[in-house]
Amino acid sequence: NLALHEAMEFSRIRQFAALGELAAGIAHEIRNPLNAIRLNLHALERLFAKVNGQGPFDAAAVVGEANREIDRLEGLMRGMLDYARPERALNEELDVRHELRTALDFIQPVLEAAKVELRTDLGAAAVRVHFDRNRLRQILLNLVNNARDAVGPGGRISVSLKRHQERAVVIVEDNGPGIPPGERERVFDPFYST
């Protein structure tokens, strides 16, 4: 029974590896035509801006919007590639308190525009850890953006930093509706979202 379970688990891991390779291949193939389309749209945008920047149909604005959608697709492809081939962590000695403060200062205007209150309790002393600076910021910004979407206008997000023995503990809380019990098992599934 244990051997069967291990064989099934190994098969599942191989399937995920194959899926990752397939995703990377597809992402690569999609990026090439996207780049060609982007270059052509940039040329059209410059041409339209010279010829017809005014009037009821602003061709330059339409081309600009198409470029923004290509940028969005590029971001999705980058996410798929990162999932299929995660980069090595660039761990370094850093002050978690400083990194949290910097990231929260960056996202504060977005929260204010969404009418979401941000409360912080980061303490006064530096909290040093060995971690990847960019990944820490990405994790925090993802959590705060998800919390912002969950609470909506008038909501509240709290970010706190605590020391627990030799560890730094970052807590992101919000006063939104929470995740329904039936959905909780899926929150770590790739690309899962409500």
Side-chain angles (χ1 to χ4, degrees):
N1 191 16
L2 182 60
L4 177 61
H5 177 72
E6 287 178 355
M8 288 174 58
E9 189 64 26
F10 182 69
S11 173
R12 186 169 172 248
I13 290 169
R14 281 193 0 222
Q15 286 176 337
F16 274 122
L19 181 61
E21 288 179 30
L22 176 65
I26 290 171
H28 179 72
E29 291 304 316
I30 289 173
R31 285 175 113 177
N32 289 336
L34 277 179
N35 285 331
I37 292 168
R38 178 185 287 126
L39 289 172
N40 288 324
L41 284 173
H42 281 304
L44 280 173
E45 187 175 18
R46 284 194 303 274
L47 177 67
F48 286 141
K50 287 180 186 173
V51 174
N52 119 356
Q54 310 295 323
F57 177 73
D58 188 350
V62 171
V63 172
E65 183 59 32
N67 268 318
R68 283 186 287 282
E69 287 301 306
I70 288 174
D71 290 342
R72 195 169 69 82
L73 280 172
E74 180 69 26
L76 291 169
M77 301 311 310
R78 203 171 20 261
M80 188 166 26
L81 282 172
D82 288 347
Y83 179 72
R85 296 186 304 233
E87 293 180 14
R88 290 191 99 133
L90 299 173
N91 292 335
E92 58 185 301
E93 185 78 20
L94 55 90
D95 175 7
V96 178
R97 182 183 182 281
H98 173 75
E99 297 304 322
L100 294 178
R101 182 78 272 147
T102 301
L104 292 172
D105 286 347
F106 171 76
I107 201 167
Q108 181 70 42
V110 175
L111 297 176
E112 288 173 1
K115 296 182 176 30
V116 172
E117 178 188 359
L118 176 65
R119 294 182 182 176
T120 60
D121 179 12
L122 306 180
V127 178
R128 301 225 169 261
V129 297
H130 199 69
F131 203 79
D132 185 307
R133 179 185 317 270
N134 291 331
R135 288 186 182 184
L136 176 63
R137 288 186 183 181
Q138 180 182 3
I139 291 166
L140 179 68
L141 293 175
N142 285 343
L143 288 171
V144 172
N145 278 322
N146 288 343
R148 182 200 68 214
D149 292 343
V151 300
R156 184 182 66 248
I157 301 170
S158 300
V159 178
S160 59
L161 172 63
K162 311 253 185 258
R163 266 186 218 256
H164 181 68
Q165 297 170 0
E166 296 297 314
R167 297 174 189 252
V169 179
V170 178
I171 301 167
V172 178
E173 298 175 294
D174 65 62
N175 66 344
I179 300 170
E183 302 291 319
R184 290 180 188 156
E185 290 182 15
R186 299 196 58 207
V187 296
F188 294 106
D189 289 353
F191 308 112
Y192 172 75
S193 176
T194 57

